Amino acid sequence: MGKKGASQKGDSGESSSQVSNADKYANDLKILIDNLNPDDYTESAFPVILEWFKELEKFSTDMVTAGLTYGKIMRNNFVKCHYRELLPIIQELCFEIKKRDSDLFDLKLSLAESEHSLLKAKVWTLERENIALRAKLELNSDISSTIKDLMPWLDDLKEHSTKALKEELPSIIKQAACPEIKSSLETVNREIVAEVKRNRVEARSFAQVALQAKDRKQGVSPTLSQREPEGILLVKPKENELKDFELNRKIILDLLQTHSPEARLRGVVKIFGGGVKLIAASPDDILAIKNTLIEHGEKEVMDKFDLITPNRRSPQFILYNVPKEVEADSLKAGLLAKNIFLADGNNKPHFKLEFSIPGRDRRSNHWVMSINPKKYEDFLSKEGLYFQFTRLRLAEFISIKQCRKCYAFGHTTRGCDPKNKQLCDKCGETREENHRCKGYNCINCSESNRRLRTNHKTDHSCLDSNCKTLIRQKDLVIQRTDYGL
């Protein structure tokens, strides 16, 4: 009994010693987690890093509470549960570094090309100045030869009298010199105008030439390209029984094949509700297709559909970092009060606030606005708008519809087929429990290579801003936008 009491006393002492040690040493890992600052990390990396540290803190706390010492079993548990999960985080950060290095390389290349373009512009300017100087020199030569021809007349007049010379000299010069001078000037002007017309594409400022060289990498700005807009026709079913896209598609295409086989379509796309979207090369082409459906389609069948020719998309801009508590009406009134160009003479706004997007800073939102196409250039020249006592950054906004479930373009998650499973945006495979990516594989670029015989690289996420298929979708949105040109 004495030994047992001693044992109990010893156990009590050991327990109190452990408690005192636990109180003595603070949980530095918990302090480290509490001091993590989201601004020190990327928006996508911070939640993953924070979750990893929390799991590590929980695991280590459980080990300390259990009184385990570091050994082989604990080491293996650390590797399986935590260190192995750290590798994908490091790989992701390394990928971002490589991607940023690639962007820097492209930027340096773009700057080099811009310098080359500036030199070409300077050479072109010097050539134009040379042409102008040569024209002046030829004009002076013509005038000199005309004066030489006048000298004998002047000598004859000197023999008569100075008074007669003064009276006759203006008329002589007018009769003799003006026709030749006028003819020379007209010839020079015609040559200059012809030269300018031949080189009107190159007649830009140094800044424009530099921007054009930069745009070769990033896509041509809509202000520099005036393409004919595509024609679009939406065939929407009126009844719920006609929501089968394949059936509706067959009805429309069979009708065109029978009555207008020469019709040319760029695409036939599914829209929400089982409707059909027809895309033609021009509005005239789509109007001819619409007339064919109306004239030759059976009335009972066509009455079940709405044939809609949508207006071209208005340009959109995004206004960054608007305080979250500001409502749409207050924002609109505040912008009109501080920026005169946003309204016409009758105080009618040239813009319409569409919707807000949560900003990176939880205290602010980004607002998307549609604008009057005729005012596109005015908005594009502004880098910001005044609101209250600050200036909000403004930039053009090109919205792309991309599903966050199957990651296809043209629809959102709400309009995605319920049969589709959630895919991984990195590898393109079904995201199941315990899913691990085997590597990057863009499903959209892979599908484009298969169907359209393109040669896009696929070693990237389908949400990558440099994805070729995503850039193609942006070009289509630009082409379907009315820029008031």
Side-chain angles (χ1 to χ4, degrees):
M1 293 296 292
K3 291 183 178 181
K4 184 176 180 180
S7 175
Q8 289 178 347
K9 183 178 179 180
D11 292 342
S12 177
E14 183 180 355
S15 175
S16 62
S17 175
Q18 291 178 354
V19 173
S20 62
N21 288 336
D23 295 337
K24 179 180 180 181
Y25 296 102
N27 190 342
D28 289 340
L29 183 56
K30 183 66 169 58
I31 296 173
L32 175 64
I33 294 173
D34 294 337
N35 292 332
L36 287 177
N37 187 359
D39 295 334
D40 296 337
Y41 307 90
T42 62
E43 187 175 0
S44 60
F46 178 74
V48 180
I49 295 174
L50 181 62
E51 182 66 22
W52 185 86
F53 270 106
K54 287 183 177 179
E55 291 295 331
L56 176 61
E57 197 275 335
K58 182 177 179 300
F59 179 79
S60 60
T61 300
D62 292 342
M63 295 299 101
V64 171
T65 304
L68 299 179
T69 58
Y70 189 83
K72 295 181 179 179
I73 296 178
M74 185 181 293
R75 178 196 63 191
N76 294 340
N77 287 337
F78 265 109
V79 172
K80 291 178 182 178
C81 299
H82 299 284
Y83 295 151
R84 183 179 296 171
E85 298 297 329
L86 183 61
L87 290 178
I89 300 175
I90 297 175
Q91 291 173 355
E92 177 71 18
L93 294 176
C94 291
F95 173 78
E96 292 294 332
I97 293 173
K98 291 181 180 179
K99 177 183 172 183
R100 187 160 298 175
D101 290 343
S102 176
D103 292 340
L104 289 174
F105 177 79
D106 292 340
L107 180 59
K108 290 180 180 179
L109 182 62
S110 176
L111 290 174
E113 292 183 355
S114 299
E115 292 178 358
H116 180 67
S117 300
L118 288 173
L119 292 176
K120 288 180 63 178
K122 291 180 180 179
V123 170
W124 182 88
T125 303
L126 293 175
E127 290 177 351
R128 301 283 73 74
E129 292 178 356
N130 187 22
I131 293 174
L133 292 174
R134 287 174 58 187
K136 291 181 181 178
L137 182 61
E138 292 177 358
L139 179 61
N140 291 333
S141 299
D142 293 340
I143 294 175
S144 298
S145 61
T146 302
I147 292 175
K148 288 182 180 179
D149 294 337
L150 289 174
M151 291 303 296
W153 292 17
L154 295 176
D155 292 338
D156 292 338
L157 288 173
K158 285 180 181 179
E159 295 177 359
H160 292 83
S161 67
T162 303
K163 183 178 180 180
L165 176 62
K166 291 181 179 179
E167 294 176 354
E168 298 293 335
L169 183 59
S171 61
I172 293 173
I173 293 176
K174 182 177 180 181
Q175 295 175 2
C178 286
E180 295 185 10
I181 294 174
K182 182 179 180 181
S183 176
S184 300
L185 288 174
E186 290 178 351
T187 303
V188 171
N189 286 336
R190 283 196 298 269
E191 292 178 355
I192 292 175
V193 170
E195 186 69 19
V196 170
K197 286 183 177 180
R198 286 195 298 270
N199 298 277
R200 63 183 181 275
V201 176
E202 299 178 7
R204 301 190 180 109
S205 67
F206 296 156
Q208 289 173 319
V209 173
L211 288 175
Q212 184 186 16
K214 182 179 179 181
D215 287 340
R216 291 194 188 104
K217 293 291 182 183
Q218 301 177 352
V220 180
S221 170
T223 58
L224 301 180
S225 62
Q226 300 184 18
R227 304 180 187 175
E228 184 179 2
E230 291 181 329
I232 297 176
L233 178 64
L234 304 180
V235 183
K236 294 185 175 181
K238 298 179 181 178
E239 302 175 0
N240 294 331
E241 293 76 11
L242 294 174
K243 288 195 173 183
D244 188 341
F245 166 72
E246 295 298 335
L247 178 60
N248 297 335
R249 178 178 180 273
K250 186 176 187 303
I251 292 174
I252 300 301
L253 296 185
D254 286 348
L255 186 58
L256 291 177
Q257 180 63 34
T258 303
H259 298 284
S260 184
E262 72 281 1
R264 297 182 297 177
L265 289 173
R266 290 185 174 180
V268 180
V269 183
K270 177 182 177 182
I271 59 178
F272 183 74
V276 181
K277 179 180 180 181
L278 304 178
I279 305 173
S282 68
D284 292 338
D285 291 342
I286 209 67
L287 180 60
I289 292 174
K290 181 179 181 180
N291 292 334
T292 299
L293 298 178
I294 294 174
E295 293 175 6
H296 300 285
E298 296 182 7
K299 189 175 185 305
E300 295 181 357
V301 176
M302 299 311 299
D303 285 346
K304 297 179 180 179
F305 296 93
D306 286 326
L307 303 182
I308 302 173
T309 304
N311 295 327
R312 295 176 66 191
R313 171 184 176 271
S314 296
Q316 290 184 334
F317 281 77
I318 184 169
L319 197 62
Y320 291 98
N321 299 323
V322 179
K324 202 165 188 176
E325 63 273 9
V326 176
E327 299 293 337
D329 293 339
S330 301
L331 177 60
K332 180 179 178 180
L335 292 175
L336 291 173
K338 293 293 182 75
N339 305 271
I340 300 177
F341 77 97
L342 292 181
D344 59 13
N346 298 322
N347 204 30
K348 181 180 179 181
H350 293 307
F351 69 95
K352 176 184 177 183
L353 295 175
E354 297 291 351
F355 55 88
S356 62
I357 302 173
R360 179 176 295 182
D361 185 352
R362 298 178 181 178
R363 298 171 298 178
S364 63
N365 287 333
H366 308 322
W367 276 89
V368 176
M369 60 173 65
S370 297
I371 68 166
N372 183 350
K374 295 181 180 179
K375 296 296 179 180
Y376 171 75
E377 293 290 346
D378 295 339
F379 276 80
L380 191 65
S381 63
K382 304 294 182 183
E383 295 181 355
L385 298 178
Y386 291 99
F387 177 72
Q388 293 178 353
F389 297 101
T390 185
R391 190 167 184 258
L392 304 176
R393 187 162 63 90
L394 183 72
E396 187 174 5
F397 180 75
I398 300 175
S399 58
I400 305 296
K401 283 188 177 181
Q402 185 175 15
C403 178
R404 288 300 188 268
K405 184 178 181 182
C406 67
Y407 294 101
F409 298 108
H411 67 273
T412 59
T413 305
R414 189 183 67 171
C416 189
D417 190 340
K419 298 179 182 178
N420 292 338
K421 296 183 178 180
Q422 178 65 53
L423 301 182
C424 176
D425 63 288
K426 296 179 181 178
C427 64
E429 297 182 359
T430 303
R431 177 173 285 177
E432 300 175 339
E433 190 176 358
N434 299 326
H435 168 75
R436 290 184 179 276
C437 294
K438 298 179 180 178
Y440 283 94
N441 178 38
C442 177
I443 53 178
N444 291 322
C445 287
S446 299
E447 184 68 10
S448 176
N449 293 340
R450 184 183 67 84
R451 294 181 56 189
L452 305 178
R453 300 181 182 275
T454 54
N455 191 26
H456 299 329
K457 293 183 178 180
T458 61
D459 55 346
H460 57 269
S461 167
C462 58
L463 298 178
D464 191 337
S465 59
N466 294 320
C467 174
K468 296 296 183 182
T469 53
L470 178 61
I471 294 174
R472 169 60 180 164
Q473 292 296 319
K474 290 183 179 179
D475 291 339
L476 291 176
V477 172
I478 291 174
Q479 191 172 349
R480 295 166 186 168
T481 301
D482 181 9
Y483 289 100
L485 301 176

PDB file of all heavy atoms in Angstrom, residues 200-224:
ATOM      1  N   ARG A 200      -1.348  56.617 -95.068  1.00  0.00           N
ATOM      2  CA  ARG A 200      -2.215  57.087 -93.991  1.00  0.00           C
ATOM      3  C   ARG A 200      -2.246  56.124 -92.827  1.00  0.00           C
ATOM      4  O   ARG A 200      -2.491  56.504 -91.687  1.00  0.00           O
ATOM      5  CB  ARG A 200      -3.623  57.330 -94.511  1.00  0.00           C
ATOM      6  CG  ARG A 200      -4.332  56.097 -95.027  1.00  0.00           C
ATOM      7  CD  ARG A 200      -5.704  56.496 -95.582  1.00  0.00           C
ATOM      8  NE  ARG A 200      -6.430  55.351 -96.076  1.00  0.00           N
ATOM      9  CZ  ARG A 200      -6.288  54.849 -97.290  1.00  0.00           C
ATOM     10  NH1 ARG A 200      -5.420  55.390 -98.130  1.00  0.00           N
ATOM     11  NH2 ARG A 200      -7.004  53.804 -97.685  1.00  0.00           N
ATOM     12  N   VAL A 201      -2.017  54.805 -93.075  1.00  0.00           N
ATOM     13  CA  VAL A 201      -2.014  53.833 -91.968  1.00  0.00           C
ATOM     14  C   VAL A 201      -0.829  54.076 -91.055  1.00  0.00           C
ATOM     15  O   VAL A 201      -0.876  53.862 -89.863  1.00  0.00           O
ATOM     16  CB  VAL A 201      -1.981  52.399 -92.525  1.00  0.00           C
ATOM     17  CG1 VAL A 201      -1.890  51.395 -91.394  1.00  0.00           C
ATOM     18  CG2 VAL A 201      -3.226  52.156 -93.368  1.00  0.00           C
ATOM     19  N   GLU A 202       0.292  54.591 -91.654  1.00  0.00           N
ATOM     20  CA  GLU A 202       1.496  54.807 -90.852  1.00  0.00           C
ATOM     21  C   GLU A 202       1.512  56.177 -90.202  1.00  0.00           C
ATOM     22  O   GLU A 202       2.334  56.444 -89.348  1.00  0.00           O
ATOM     23  CB  GLU A 202       2.733  54.654 -91.740  1.00  0.00           C
ATOM     24  CG  GLU A 202       2.865  53.275 -92.372  1.00  0.00           C
ATOM     25  CD  GLU A 202       4.080  53.197 -93.281  1.00  0.00           C
ATOM     26  OE1 GLU A 202       4.846  54.170 -93.293  1.00  0.00           O
ATOM     27  OE2 GLU A 202       4.234  52.193 -93.961  1.00  0.00           O
ATOM     28  N   ALA A 203       0.612  57.082 -90.618  1.00  0.00           N
ATOM     29  CA  ALA A 203       0.662  58.459 -90.130  1.00  0.00           C
ATOM     30  C   ALA A 203       0.096  58.544 -88.729  1.00  0.00           C
ATOM     31  O   ALA A 203      -1.017  58.979 -88.519  1.00  0.00           O
ATOM     32  CB  ALA A 203      -0.101  59.381 -91.070  1.00  0.00           C
ATOM     33  N   ARG A 204       0.876  58.099 -87.769  1.00  0.00           N
ATOM     34  CA  ARG A 204       0.470  58.117 -86.375  1.00  0.00           C
ATOM     35  C   ARG A 204       1.584  58.727 -85.543  1.00  0.00           C
ATOM     36  O   ARG A 204       2.737  58.803 -85.971  1.00  0.00           O
ATOM     37  CB  ARG A 204       0.178  56.704 -85.864  1.00  0.00           C
ATOM     38  CG  ARG A 204      -0.915  56.002 -86.653  1.00  0.00           C
ATOM     39  CD  ARG A 204      -1.306  54.718 -85.945  1.00  0.00           C
ATOM     40  NE  ARG A 204      -2.352  54.045 -86.699  1.00  0.00           N
ATOM     41  CZ  ARG A 204      -2.164  52.927 -87.376  1.00  0.00           C
ATOM     42  NH1 ARG A 204      -0.996  52.354 -87.374  1.00  0.00           N
ATOM     43  NH2 ARG A 204      -3.157  52.379 -88.047  1.00  0.00           N
ATOM     44  N   SER A 205       1.227  59.112 -84.344  1.00  0.00           N
ATOM     45  CA  SER A 205       2.221  59.653 -83.427  1.00  0.00           C
ATOM     46  C   SER A 205       3.098  58.535 -82.888  1.00  0.00           C
ATOM     47  O   SER A 205       2.788  57.360 -83.035  1.00  0.00           O
ATOM     48  CB  SER A 205       1.522  60.376 -82.263  1.00  0.00           C
ATOM     49  OG  SER A 205       0.819  59.437 -81.483  1.00  0.00           O
ATOM     50  N   PHE A 206       4.200  58.951 -82.252  1.00  0.00           N
ATOM     51  CA  PHE A 206       5.103  57.949 -81.671  1.00  0.00           C
ATOM     52  C   PHE A 206       4.372  57.090 -80.648  1.00  0.00           C
ATOM     53  O   PHE A 206       4.567  55.885 -80.573  1.00  0.00           O
ATOM     54  CB  PHE A 206       6.306  58.633 -81.002  1.00  0.00           C
ATOM     55  CG  PHE A 206       7.179  59.379 -81.985  1.00  0.00           C
ATOM     56  CD1 PHE A 206       7.979  60.416 -81.572  1.00  0.00           C
ATOM     57  CD2 PHE A 206       7.167  59.033 -83.327  1.00  0.00           C
ATOM     58  CE1 PHE A 206       8.783  61.099 -82.463  1.00  0.00           C
ATOM     59  CE2 PHE A 206       7.964  59.713 -84.223  1.00  0.00           C
ATOM     60  CZ  PHE A 206       8.770  60.753 -83.799  1.00  0.00           C
ATOM     61  N   ALA A 207       3.528  57.729 -79.824  1.00  0.00           N
ATOM     62  CA  ALA A 207       2.794  56.974 -78.789  1.00  0.00           C
ATOM     63  C   ALA A 207       1.857  55.956 -79.412  1.00  0.00           C
ATOM     64  O   ALA A 207       1.750  54.827 -78.944  1.00  0.00           O
ATOM     65  CB  ALA A 207       2.012  57.944 -77.898  1.00  0.00           C
ATOM     66  N   GLN A 208       1.175  56.326 -80.507  1.00  0.00           N
ATOM     67  CA  GLN A 208       0.260  55.391 -81.159  1.00  0.00           C
ATOM     68  C   GLN A 208       1.018  54.218 -81.750  1.00  0.00           C
ATOM     69  O   GLN A 208       0.560  53.082 -81.699  1.00  0.00           O
ATOM     70  CB  GLN A 208      -0.537  56.113 -82.236  1.00  0.00           C
ATOM     71  CG  GLN A 208      -1.566  57.078 -81.676  1.00  0.00           C
ATOM     72  CD  GLN A 208      -2.212  57.890 -82.763  1.00  0.00           C
ATOM     73  OE1 GLN A 208      -1.544  58.331 -83.699  1.00  0.00           O
ATOM     74  NE2 GLN A 208      -3.508  58.101 -82.650  1.00  0.00           N
ATOM     75  N   VAL A 209       2.175  54.494 -82.331  1.00  0.00           N
ATOM     76  CA  VAL A 209       2.975  53.400 -82.896  1.00  0.00           C
ATOM     77  C   VAL A 209       3.415  52.442 -81.802  1.00  0.00           C
ATOM     78  O   VAL A 209       3.370  51.221 -81.950  1.00  0.00           O
ATOM     79  CB  VAL A 209       4.199  53.965 -83.646  1.00  0.00           C
ATOM     80  CG1 VAL A 209       5.124  52.843 -84.087  1.00  0.00           C
ATOM     81  CG2 VAL A 209       3.734  54.760 -84.859  1.00  0.00           C
ATOM     82  N   ALA A 210       3.831  53.002 -80.649  1.00  0.00           N
ATOM     83  CA  ALA A 210       4.251  52.146 -79.544  1.00  0.00           C
ATOM     84  C   ALA A 210       3.099  51.314 -79.020  1.00  0.00           C
ATOM     85  O   ALA A 210       3.249  50.121 -78.746  1.00  0.00           O
ATOM     86  CB  ALA A 210       4.839  52.995 -78.418  1.00  0.00           C
ATOM     87  N   LEU A 211       1.916  51.927 -78.898  1.00  0.00           N
ATOM     88  CA  LEU A 211       0.752  51.183 -78.425  1.00  0.00           C
ATOM     89  C   LEU A 211       0.342  50.107 -79.410  1.00  0.00           C
ATOM     90  O   LEU A 211      -0.076  49.022 -79.026  1.00  0.00           O
ATOM     91  CB  LEU A 211      -0.414  52.148 -78.189  1.00  0.00           C
ATOM     92  CG  LEU A 211      -0.288  53.060 -76.968  1.00  0.00           C
ATOM     93  CD1 LEU A 211      -1.436  54.046 -76.925  1.00  0.00           C
ATOM     94  CD2 LEU A 211      -0.243  52.238 -75.692  1.00  0.00           C
ATOM     95  N   GLN A 212       0.482  50.396 -80.728  1.00  0.00           N
ATOM     96  CA  GLN A 212       0.129  49.386 -81.715  1.00  0.00           C
ATOM     97  C   GLN A 212       1.057  48.185 -81.606  1.00  0.00           C
ATOM     98  O   GLN A 212       0.622  47.042 -81.715  1.00  0.00           O
ATOM     99  CB  GLN A 212       0.213  49.981 -83.117  1.00  0.00           C
ATOM    100  CG  GLN A 212      -0.229  49.006 -84.212  1.00  0.00           C
ATOM    101  CD  GLN A 212      -0.006  49.565 -85.595  1.00  0.00           C
ATOM    102  OE1 GLN A 212       0.728  50.523 -85.748  1.00  0.00           O
ATOM    103  NE2 GLN A 212      -0.609  48.958 -86.583  1.00  0.00           N
ATOM    104  N   ALA A 213       2.346  48.418 -81.377  1.00  0.00           N
ATOM    105  CA  ALA A 213       3.278  47.305 -81.220  1.00  0.00           C
ATOM    106  C   ALA A 213       2.935  46.484 -79.993  1.00  0.00           C
ATOM    107  O   ALA A 213       3.030  45.264 -79.993  1.00  0.00           O
ATOM    108  CB  ALA A 213       4.716  47.841 -81.108  1.00  0.00           C
ATOM    109  N   LYS A 214       2.501  47.151 -78.926  1.00  0.00           N
ATOM    110  CA  LYS A 214       2.103  46.429 -77.708  1.00  0.00           C
ATOM    111  C   LYS A 214       0.845  45.614 -77.940  1.00  0.00           C
ATOM    112  O   LYS A 214       0.700  44.505 -77.452  1.00  0.00           O
ATOM    113  CB  LYS A 214       1.888  47.438 -76.581  1.00  0.00           C
ATOM    114  CG  LYS A 214       1.525  46.812 -75.248  1.00  0.00           C
ATOM    115  CD  LYS A 214       1.368  47.877 -74.196  1.00  0.00           C
ATOM    116  CE  LYS A 214       0.991  47.253 -72.866  1.00  0.00           C
ATOM    117  NZ  LYS A 214       0.812  48.260 -71.821  1.00  0.00           N
ATOM    118  N   ASP A 215      -0.098  46.167 -78.731  1.00  0.00           N
ATOM    119  CA  ASP A 215      -1.370  45.488 -78.972  1.00  0.00           C
ATOM    120  C   ASP A 215      -1.204  44.231 -79.798  1.00  0.00           C
ATOM    121  O   ASP A 215      -2.084  43.392 -79.815  1.00  0.00           O
ATOM    122  CB  ASP A 215      -2.351  46.427 -79.676  1.00  0.00           C
ATOM    123  CG  ASP A 215      -2.878  47.506 -78.743  1.00  0.00           C
ATOM    124  OD1 ASP A 215      -2.786  47.284 -77.524  1.00  0.00           O
ATOM    125  OD2 ASP A 215      -3.354  48.540 -79.221  1.00  0.00           O
ATOM    126  N   ARG A 216      -0.090  44.067 -80.504  1.00  0.00           N
ATOM    127  CA  ARG A 216       0.102  42.836 -81.265  1.00  0.00           C
ATOM    128  C   ARG A 216       0.167  41.636 -80.357  1.00  0.00           C
ATOM    129  O   ARG A 216      -0.176  40.537 -80.733  1.00  0.00           O
ATOM    130  CB  ARG A 216       1.396  42.923 -82.076  1.00  0.00           C
ATOM    131  CG  ARG A 216       1.336  43.934 -83.218  1.00  0.00           C
ATOM    132  CD  ARG A 216       2.496  43.722 -84.174  1.00  0.00           C
ATOM    133  NE  ARG A 216       2.566  44.777 -85.160  1.00  0.00           N
ATOM    134  CZ  ARG A 216       3.441  45.757 -85.134  1.00  0.00           C
ATOM    135  NH1 ARG A 216       4.334  45.810 -84.159  1.00  0.00           N
ATOM    136  NH2 ARG A 216       3.447  46.683 -86.064  1.00  0.00           N
ATOM    137  N   LYS A 217       0.607  41.852 -79.134  1.00  0.00           N
ATOM    138  CA  LYS A 217       0.670  40.748 -78.174  1.00  0.00           C
ATOM    139  C   LYS A 217      -0.642  40.559 -77.421  1.00  0.00           C
ATOM    140  O   LYS A 217      -0.984  39.469 -77.029  1.00  0.00           O
ATOM    141  CB  LYS A 217       1.792  41.012 -77.157  1.00  0.00           C
ATOM    142  CG  LYS A 217       3.186  40.977 -77.763  1.00  0.00           C
ATOM    143  CD  LYS A 217       3.560  39.582 -78.185  1.00  0.00           C
ATOM    144  CE  LYS A 217       4.964  39.536 -78.751  1.00  0.00           C
ATOM    145  NZ  LYS A 217       5.312  38.193 -79.220  1.00  0.00           N
ATOM    146  N   GLN A 218      -1.378  41.641 -77.202  1.00  0.00           N
ATOM    147  CA  GLN A 218      -2.530  41.573 -76.324  1.00  0.00           C
ATOM    148  C   GLN A 218      -3.854  41.596 -77.068  1.00  0.00           C
ATOM    149  O   GLN A 218      -4.892  41.573 -76.455  1.00  0.00           O
ATOM    150  CB  GLN A 218      -2.495  42.746 -75.346  1.00  0.00           C
ATOM    151  CG  GLN A 218      -1.244  42.755 -74.489  1.00  0.00           C
ATOM    152  CD  GLN A 218      -1.199  43.952 -73.577  1.00  0.00           C
ATOM    153  OE1 GLN A 218      -2.012  44.843 -73.673  1.00  0.00           O
ATOM    154  NE2 GLN A 218      -0.248  43.978 -72.676  1.00  0.00           N
ATOM    155  N   GLY A 219      -3.845  41.635 -78.380  1.00  0.00           N
ATOM    156  CA  GLY A 219      -5.081  41.719 -79.136  1.00  0.00           C
ATOM    157  C   GLY A 219      -5.363  43.156 -79.527  1.00  0.00           C
ATOM    158  O   GLY A 219      -5.052  44.092 -78.807  1.00  0.00           O
ATOM    159  N   VAL A 220      -5.929  43.355 -80.714  1.00  0.00           N
ATOM    160  CA  VAL A 220      -6.118  44.692 -81.246  1.00  0.00           C
ATOM    161  C   VAL A 220      -7.274  45.374 -80.540  1.00  0.00           C
ATOM    162  O   VAL A 220      -8.314  44.781 -80.305  1.00  0.00           O
ATOM    163  CB  VAL A 220      -6.392  44.609 -82.764  1.00  0.00           C
ATOM    164  CG1 VAL A 220      -6.586  45.998 -83.344  1.00  0.00           C
ATOM    165  CG2 VAL A 220      -5.237  43.903 -83.452  1.00  0.00           C
ATOM    166  N   SER A 221      -7.092  46.621 -80.186  1.00  0.00           N
ATOM    167  CA  SER A 221      -8.140  47.379 -79.526  1.00  0.00           C
ATOM    168  C   SER A 221      -9.289  47.610 -80.484  1.00  0.00           C
ATOM    169  O   SER A 221      -9.082  47.806 -81.675  1.00  0.00           O
ATOM    170  CB  SER A 221      -7.583  48.727 -79.056  1.00  0.00           C
ATOM    171  OG  SER A 221      -8.618  49.561 -78.616  1.00  0.00           O
ATOM    172  N   PRO A 222     -10.529  47.590 -79.990  1.00  0.00           N
ATOM    173  CA  PRO A 222     -11.676  47.810 -80.873  1.00  0.00           C
ATOM    174  C   PRO A 222     -11.670  49.180 -81.509  1.00  0.00           C
ATOM    175  O   PRO A 222     -12.298  49.384 -82.524  1.00  0.00           O
ATOM    176  CB  PRO A 222     -12.870  47.639 -79.932  1.00  0.00           C
ATOM    177  CG  PRO A 222     -12.339  47.818 -78.564  1.00  0.00           C
ATOM    178  CD  PRO A 222     -10.920  47.327 -78.616  1.00  0.00           C
ATOM    179  N   THR A 223     -10.947  50.148 -80.934  1.00  0.00           N
ATOM    180  CA  THR A 223     -10.919  51.475 -81.530  1.00  0.00           C
ATOM    181  C   THR A 223     -10.090  51.497 -82.794  1.00  0.00           C
ATOM    182  O   THR A 223     -10.197  52.415 -83.581  1.00  0.00           O
ATOM    183  CB  THR A 223     -10.326  52.482 -80.528  1.00  0.00           C
ATOM    184  OG1 THR A 223      -9.013  52.069 -80.151  1.00  0.00           O
ATOM    185  CG2 THR A 223     -11.187  52.571 -79.286  1.00  0.00           C
ATOM    186  N   LEU A 224      -9.227  50.508 -83.018  1.00  0.00           N
ATOM    187  CA  LEU A 224      -8.371  50.474 -84.192  1.00  0.00           C
ATOM    188  C   LEU A 224      -8.848  49.493 -85.241  1.00  0.00           C
ATOM    189  O   LEU A 224      -8.218  49.377 -86.282  1.00  0.00           O
ATOM    190  CB  LEU A 224      -6.927  50.106 -83.775  1.00  0.00           C
ATOM    191  CG  LEU A 224      -6.285  51.061 -82.781  1.00  0.00           C
ATOM    192  CD1 LEU A 224      -4.885  50.589 -82.445  1.00  0.00           C
ATOM    193  CD2 LEU A 224      -6.232  52.468 -83.319  1.00  0.00           C
TER     194      LEU A 224
END
